[in-house]
Amino acid sequence: MKWWSSAEVQAEFGQRLQITYGDEYYWNTANAEAFAQLPWDSDDKEVILEQLEWTLEAPRALASYMVERELSDAYNLVVLGAKSASVRESLDDAQKSVKRETQRKLEEFGYIENGELVKEYEVPTVEKVREIIAKSKEAK
C-alpha cells in the first residue's frame, strides 16, 4: 500500500495513463504531491490544490458504512418499488440493521463484552480528526 500510494508511483501512473490513452484519461489521485506533478492545466491544478487545503474527511464511527448502505437500500425499496414497502417500514428495518451491526462492531473491537460496557467508545469529531492530522504532520 505504501508503495502504491507514494507520490512517485501515483504521478508516474497518472502520466502513463494520460500518455497512453489521451486527455480523456486524467488521473485524479488523492496524493496532493503526486497531483501537482500530473500534466493537468496549471490554472486548474492551482485551484484544485488550493481547495485541498480546505478538505477534511468526515469522521467515521464504527459501522457507519451500514447507515449509508441501509439508507440507500430503504430509498431503493420505496422509490424504485422493488416491493410495496412504506417509508416507515423501510426505515425501521434499516434502523434495526444498523443497530445490530453497530452492536456487533462494538463487541468485535472490545467496547462491549457480554452486553456490558467494557470501555467507552469515543465518537470521532472534526476537532479530534484535526488533532490527529496535526500530530501526524509534526511527526514528519
Side-chain angles (χ1 to χ4, degrees), residues 77-92:
L77 282 172
V78 173
V79 175
L80 300 178
K83 67 176 191 176
S84 58
S86 72
V87 173
R88 182 179 300 273
E89 233 183 301
S90 296
L91 291 177
D92 282 348

Side-chain angles (χ1 to χ4, degrees), residues 51-115:
Q51 289 302 308
L52 279 175
E53 295 297 319
W54 297 97
T55 303
L56 184 65
E57 174 69 26
R60 298 288 185 162
L62 287 175
S64 62
Y65 56 89
M66 281 299 284
V67 174
E68 297 162 9
R69 180 184 307 161
E70 290 297 327
L71 283 176
S72 175
D73 289 350
Y75 175 87
N76 288 333
L77 282 172
V78 173
V79 175
L80 300 178
K83 67 176 191 176
S84 58
S86 72
V87 173
R88 182 179 300 273
E89 233 183 301
S90 296
L91 291 177
D92 282 348
D93 290 345
Q95 182 268 340
K96 289 173 190 168
S97 294
V98 169
K99 189 173 183 177
R100 194 171 32 251
E101 182 67 4
T102 302
Q103 184 77 22
R104 192 176 77 73
K105 287 297 179 182
L106 287 169
E107 289 174 6
E108 179 182 341
F109 291 106
Y111 292 98
I112 292 177
E113 200 172 287
N114 299 321

Side-chain angles (χ1 to χ4, degrees), residues 19-38:
I19 289 167
T20 304
Y21 297 108
D23 286 342
E24 298 84 28
Y25 287 83
Y26 279 121
W27 175 250
N28 187 14
T29 178
N31 184 316
E33 185 182 337
F35 181 79
Q37 298 174 42
L38 294 178

Side-chain angles (χ1 to χ4, degrees), residues 100-140:
R100 194 171 32 251
E101 182 67 4
T102 302
Q103 184 77 22
R104 192 176 77 73
K105 287 297 179 182
L106 287 169
E107 289 174 6
E108 179 182 341
F109 291 106
Y111 292 98
I112 292 177
E113 200 172 287
N114 299 321
E116 297 294 319
L117 183 67
V118 176
K119 61 182 177 181
E120 194 70 33
Y121 176 72
E122 184 182 343
V123 177
T125 62
V126 171
E127 291 76 23
K128 185 69 176 170
V129 171
R130 286 187 175 129
E131 181 184 314
I132 292 167
I133 291 170
K135 285 180 183 177
S136 73
K137 285 182 179 178
E138 289 172 8
K140 288 182 182 179

